[in-house]
Amino acid sequence: MNNVTPRPVYDSPRGFFSLARKIPPPSGEYHWVYLWEWPIRAMHWATVLCLIALVVTGLYIGMPYFIIGSDSAPHFLMGWVRFVHFAAAAILVAVAMLRIYWLFVGNRFSRLPSLFPLRPRDWSNMWKQVKFYLMIQPEKAPHYLGHNPLQQLSYTGIYFVAITMIVTGFAMYGQSNPGGLIYNATNWIGILFGGMPVVRFIHHVLTWAFLIFIPIHVYLSIRADHLERTGVISSIISGGRFVPADQKYIDGEDL
Ligand code: HEM
């Protein structure tokens, strides 16, 4: 790390749109850090595909606007849509189980503590991170290699939403075979929530949590890639990113 050319720091923005223009081009010495092991990347992209399939087919199940005529037998469209929904649901459950396993065996960027802002420093950094996203004092943003505290909180939140979708989804699925294994395992959920219509309502409303989360997630990834210029988006394909050698990272103790 000796003889490192100092990187230019950026000024405080003077106008709403001026931040991006003030970021200097990358220069100086960079290190490549390996963050996301291949199972994490595979799980990420499998989840993306599952969520697209589940949201599209789920919204169609809720409001089947393409149904042609009153007799569905010739085209069996709803049957196929439901099949895709349940197949994607099964893959999502498999991915969720693997992700839980990976909370214990993954590297420090994907293990359990990386998903919960439990340390006091994470809570004070979370506020600084909010100010960074609001373009207030961006130069004071805390630097993390893995998830920043706001990401930790939002990813944990979306995992809980996904678990609720799985639980409510299986509770509905079980109703098609009263007395069957899934029915017996999940029927208490309808009783707990006050009836299957409520379960269905929760399943429908939480779909919108994904429809809100996904564009924000994509926008913030593109924004970080553009502003930090360290290959953030590539990291979920290649596994790592380049970081400036002179930059201190809160979660980069042993770099
Ligand atoms: C994040 C993932 C998921 C999303 C976004 C999603 C979305 C939806 C939506 C919007 C509906 C229509 C609700 C309505 O009637 O208004 C639906 C229905 C349904 N979903 Fe999901 N879902 C997901 C996961 C699951 C899972 C894991 C299962 C488990 C088997 C599941 C099983 C069902 C069932 C059984 C129905 C009702 C189908 C029917 O009435 O024929 N879903 N889903």
Side-chain angles (χ1 to χ4, degrees):
M1 286 219 192
N2 292 332
N3 302 323
V4 172
T5 316
R7 283 184 320 129
V9 287
Y10 53 79
D11 297 339
S12 296
R14 290 187 190 83
F16 187 74
F17 292 108
S18 60
L19 180 61
R21 287 197 297 274
K22 295 212 172 293
I23 304 299
S27 62
E29 194 180 318
Y30 278 69
H31 290 314
W32 195 76
V33 288
Y34 187 48
L35 300 170
W36 318 120
E37 297 147 298
W38 74 262
I40 283 285
R41 287 176 271 149
M43 283 186 266
H44 176 271
W45 293 112
T47 307
V48 170
L49 296 179
C50 286
L51 285 181
I52 292 171
L54 285 162
V55 169
V56 171
T57 54
L59 289 178
Y60 181 76
I61 294 167
M63 190 182 278
Y65 32 81
F66 291 135
I67 284 283
I68 310 145
S70 56
D71 185 4
S72 61
H75 46 79
F76 198 59
L77 182 57
M78 180 57 94
W80 285 113
V81 169
R82 290 180 79 233
F83 172 75
V84 172
H85 196 79
F86 302 147
I91 299 171
L92 186 74
V93 171
V95 171
M97 287 163 72
L98 186 57
R99 185 67 186 92
I100 291 169
Y101 171 66
W102 214 256
L103 286 176
F104 300 96
V105 301
N107 70 13
R108 69 193 163 93
F109 298 108
S110 51
R111 268 202 300 267
L112 196 58
S114 71
L115 283 178
F116 293 95
L118 291 177
R119 290 156 292 201
R121 75 169 190 212
D122 287 336
W123 286 95
S124 69
N125 284 333
M126 189 180 310
W127 177 236
K128 288 183 192 159
Q129 193 67 41
V130 170
K131 293 212 288 197
F132 169 75
Y133 285 135
L134 294 175
M135 299 186 193
I136 306 164
Q137 296 182 314
E139 70 283 357
K140 289 194 180 165
H143 295 278
Y144 281 81
L145 286 169
H147 302 144
N148 69 51
L150 210 57
Q151 284 173 311
Q152 291 174 18
L153 203 63
S154 60
Y155 294 165
T156 306
I158 208 73
Y159 281 149
F160 275 116
V161 172
I163 290 168
T164 311
M165 292 304 280
I166 290 170
V167 169
T168 52
F170 273 96
M172 286 193 288
Y173 190 78
Q175 299 298 307
S176 60
N177 183 21
L181 183 70
I182 299 178
Y183 177 90
N184 287 332
T186 59
N187 197 40
W188 58 272
I189 293 161
I191 297 165
L192 182 74
F193 285 127
M196 288 315 291
V198 182
V199 173
R200 181 204 157 195
F201 177 73
I202 293 169
H203 197 78
H204 186 112
V205 168
L206 287 185
T207 298
W208 288 90
F210 292 100
L211 284 168
I212 294 167
F213 171 83
I214 292 167
I216 295 174
H217 178 65
V218 171
Y219 164 72
L220 289 179
S221 305
I222 294 171
R223 183 180 187 274
D225 197 271
H226 185 70
L227 294 185
E228 294 170 22
R229 302 194 190 210
T230 61
V232 168
I233 293 180
S234 312
S235 73
I236 200 63
I237 299 166
S238 67
R241 63 186 178 111
F242 286 95
V243 294
D246 60 334
Q247 180 71 67
K248 291 267 179 285
Y249 287 89
I250 288 157
D251 54 350
E253 306 95 11
D254 52 359
L255 264 187

